[in-house]
Amino acid sequence: MSAPIRVLTAVPICDGHDSAINTINLEFIRHGIEVVYLGFHRYVSDIVRAAIQEDVAAVGISSYNGGHIEFFAEVVKQLKKRGADDIRVFGGGGGTITHDDQRIMQKRGVDKIFFAGTALTDMVEFVRQRYAKRPKRRATSDPEMKLARKLTEIEDSYAGGRKRSRKAGPNAQRRISNGKTRVIGFTGPGGAGKTTLIDELVLRLLHREPKSRIAILSHDPSVVGDGALLGDRATMINSQHDRVFMRSMATRGQAGGLSPATEDCLRLLAQQGFDYVIIETVGTGQEAMPFQSKLVDQTVLVMNPDYGARLQLQKIVMLDLADIVVVNKSDLERAKTALNEIERRLEQNRREQKLISTVAKRHRDRGVDELCDLLVRNATEKKKGKR
Ligand code: B12
Ligand SMILES: Nc1nc2c(ncn2[C@@H]2O[C@H](COP(=O)(O)OP(=O)(O)OP(=O)(O)O)[C@@H](O)[C@H]2O)c(=O)[nH]1
Ligand SMILES: [Mg+2]
């Protein structure tokens, strides 16, 4: 079985017309396409950076606001400037893009515009026909593009079970990180705020360490039909940055929170001189232990205050294993009780685990500062060889 087609979708400006992109994303993923969704209010440079890092076959833009001729053309132009003109551009905008507009846009390098009334299946068919096979690509000296292409090779080598996950392989006990790179694993239930928290941490790390480079490897689940909505980028604001390399991965049939190719991808990222490599699992269940082998230096479990009752806490395996437990959404009513209950639960473990309370969606949250301090302190100790 061949690897799924990967496309990036984005909306330049949102004035309320968001149902089209949601409908199209859903239709694509149902038909086996992996969609990296970048969300709304995105600059051309954000779209181009994301498309290159994610090494997608094409970028699909939904535009209902006017200015589409210039916007689409600028995406094509900037991709070309980076030597990434193999990444194609297509899209639509209901009744706002005319046939005359399309003619001009195609002259400027856009593949196709879909007009109001097009059947969704026609768009899926177009993507399959046009983007399943990547054109032969020129060699590149762009380090970001090289890295992105290598990650694709690794991921694709596992497609359709061709290669088995390395869990039991010879490298399983070999630590991934080296002297320079700190690998931090974030896990926790769906929607607990992992991505929002990572994005806030990235903001602080970029600010504190003005030359630091960060990689993020983010996972979302593959759905029935093998497609996936890789949506973490849509929540990221600060991580759309030239010192951040982000890659979204689908689980492609593997249970437990990661993808069969995660370990190999992580090993590659750890060799690239990043100061931090941050990995986010999919939203996990009670039994999940995603970081079994020596994949990461530190694990952060992000909890939602609404986990149920105290009994539920006894069942969450990661509460025994995590180095740091974060109770996020501390602005919610139950947060105080949750913090107390989790504190009691961690005391039973009789090992050193930190508990931090955060409101990741609040700007300059003190809890996020505290988490950042802790991660930086541990990283510095590691560089000095204390850990
Ligand atoms: C539904 C709708 C709304 C809803 C949006 C709901 C939502 N959550 O998205 C609401 C009521 C909020 C709305 C509001 C407005 N709307 Co309105 N709206 C529409 C309408 C009727 C349908 C849009 C839609 O989502 N259709 C469903 C999608 C799936 O189909 P589609 O739009 O036909 O798109 C096809 C292709 O283009 C393609 N496609 C679209 N995007 C993408 C992306 C990719 C990657 C791909 C591959 C394909 C693709 O997929 C579809 C296949 O059939 C259109 C008419 C139209 N057809 O464009 C007007 C329309 C877009 N709206 C319009 C206007 C003017 C407005 C308002 C300004 C009205 C007002 N005066 O308040 C406001 C602006 C929003 C705001 N600031 O509040 C105008 C825009 C005119 C222009 N700019 O040229 C339109 C064209 C209506 C018209 N003929 O006047 N609107
Ligand atoms: N009230 C509140 N909402 C938050 C907080 N942090 C994040 N959220 C919201 O929670 C929702 C989910 O946040 P994400 O960061 O996408 O959560 P996630 O854990 O990465 O989700 P998955 O990747 O889907 O598992 C978003 O709507 C956030 O805005 C917080 O501290 N308080
Ligand atoms: Mg997330």
Side-chain angles (χ1 to χ4, degrees):
M1 206 181 86
S2 56
I5 303 168
R6 282 165 60 90
V7 300
L8 180 101
T9 59
V11 182
I13 300 169
C14 184
D15 67 342
H17 291 101
D18 64 349
S19 92
I21 197 66
N22 291 332
T23 308
I24 289 154
N25 283 345
L26 195 62
E27 189 69 10
F28 281 176
I29 70 172
R30 275 194 194 136
H31 287 87
I33 297 165
E34 286 182 2
V35 177
V36 182
Y37 180 45
L38 190 57
F40 298 107
H41 301 304
R42 296 308 186 186
Y43 296 117
V44 170
S45 55
D46 290 338
I47 293 177
V48 169
R49 187 195 302 106
I52 288 173
Q53 294 181 350
E54 301 284 358
D55 192 28
V56 290
V59 176
I61 301 170
S62 188
S63 164
Y64 285 80
N65 271 80
H68 41 265
I69 296 181
E70 293 74 20
F71 194 91
F72 279 63
E74 193 56 27
V75 174
V76 172
K77 195 172 142 197
Q78 286 199 26
L79 281 169
K80 197 166 180 186
K81 207 167 149 200
R82 288 276 310 260
D85 41 349
D86 60 295
I87 300 177
R88 309 301 305 170
V89 177
F90 70 118
T96 67
I97 305 182
T98 66
H99 288 267
D100 284 344
D101 292 345
Q102 175 181 236
R103 273 189 282 279
I104 303 170
M105 292 159 86
Q106 284 184 320
K107 273 194 196 134
R108 297 189 186 174
V110 174
D111 277 352
K112 189 165 176 66
I113 294 299
F114 291 97
F115 300 101
T118 316
L120 295 174
T121 46
D122 289 356
M123 288 187 274
V124 172
E125 213 32 55
F126 170 82
V127 169
R128 282 186 175 154
Q129 295 277 332
R130 199 63 171 261
Y131 303 133
K133 202 163 178 303
R134 298 291 292 262
K136 196 162 167 32
R137 302 199 272 178
R138 283 192 304 276
T140 175
S141 56
D142 183 319
E144 197 161 65
M145 216 182 296
K146 267 190 187 167
L147 174 58
R149 288 183 185 181
K150 270 195 201 156
L151 289 169
T152 307
E153 268 172 40
I154 294 175
E155 238 194 329
D156 289 355
S157 70
Y158 282 90
R162 254 183 265 157
K163 204 167 139 191
R164 304 248 323 206
S165 164
R166 276 221 202 189
K167 255 188 199 146
N171 282 328
Q173 290 311 313
R174 201 155 55 86
R175 246 193 200 292
I176 283 198
S177 72
N178 47 40
K180 180 173 164 42
T181 310
R182 184 101 192 140
V183 184
I184 307 168
F186 282 77
T187 189
K194 299 179 289 297
T195 309
T196 314
L197 190 60
I198 292 170
D199 197 46
E200 281 295 310
L201 283 169
V202 166
L203 172 70
R204 287 161 176 76
L205 292 172
L206 290 174
H207 187 69
R208 281 176 188 219
E209 303 176 35
K211 286 196 174 144
S212 62
R213 287 170 60 237
I214 301 167
I216 302 172
L217 198 56
S218 196
H219 295 76
D220 273 316
S222 296
V223 297
V224 178
D226 292 335
L229 181 66
L230 306 174
D232 284 331
R233 270 189 186 268
T235 309
M236 298 285 197
I237 298 165
N238 307 300
S239 304
Q240 320 282 344
H241 192 285
D242 285 338
R243 282 194 280 135
V244 180
F245 181 96
M246 177 164 177
R247 184 70 175 225
S248 312
M249 289 176 82
T251 50
R252 295 196 177 173
Q254 180 165 293
L258 299 174
S259 135
T262 301
E263 184 171 340
D264 287 355
C265 290
L266 210 49
R267 284 191 191 284
L268 176 65
L269 286 173
Q271 292 161 7
Q272 308 294 312
F274 290 106
D275 297 271
Y276 298 91
V277 174
I278 297 174
I279 168 166
E280 178 184 340
T281 69
V282 304
T284 51
Q286 294 169 331
E287 80 291 11
M289 295 185 285
F291 306 118
Q292 274 170 326
S293 59
K294 301 202 167 182
L295 276 183
V296 298
D297 293 313
Q298 265 190 307
T299 49
V300 181
L301 171 65
V302 184
M303 297 276 298
N304 194 323
D306 278 330
Y307 45 76
R310 272 165 77 172
L311 182 64
Q312 268 68 46
L313 291 181
Q314 301 298 333
K315 307 182 192 178
I316 300 171
V317 182
M318 270 311 290
L319 277 171
D320 293 326
L321 303 176
D323 299 307
I324 302 171
V325 177
V326 172
V327 180
N328 188 41
K329 305 199 182 182
S330 292
D331 52 320
L332 299 187
E333 211 176 299
R334 198 179 179 278
K336 228 177 172 162
T337 312
L339 196 69
N340 284 330
E341 289 181 352
I342 294 173
E343 194 172 14
R344 296 286 94 75
R345 168 70 173 81
L346 295 181
E347 278 168 7
Q348 294 167 8
N349 292 345
R350 296 173 200 280
R351 57 178 278 251
E352 206 187 314
Q353 286 173 295
K354 287 266 187 272
L355 177 62
I356 296 176
S357 153
T358 60
V359 184
K361 76 162 191 185
R362 185 165 62 195
H363 196 49
R364 296 188 173 168
D365 178 63
R366 300 272 288 272
V368 182
D369 289 344
E370 194 189 336
L371 177 62
C372 188
D373 287 344
L374 187 64
L375 294 171
V376 170
R377 197 160 61 235
N378 290 342
T380 315
E381 282 177 11
K382 182 190 169 193
K383 274 185 197 161
K384 288 183 186 158
K386 288 189 192 165
R387 279 174 166 259

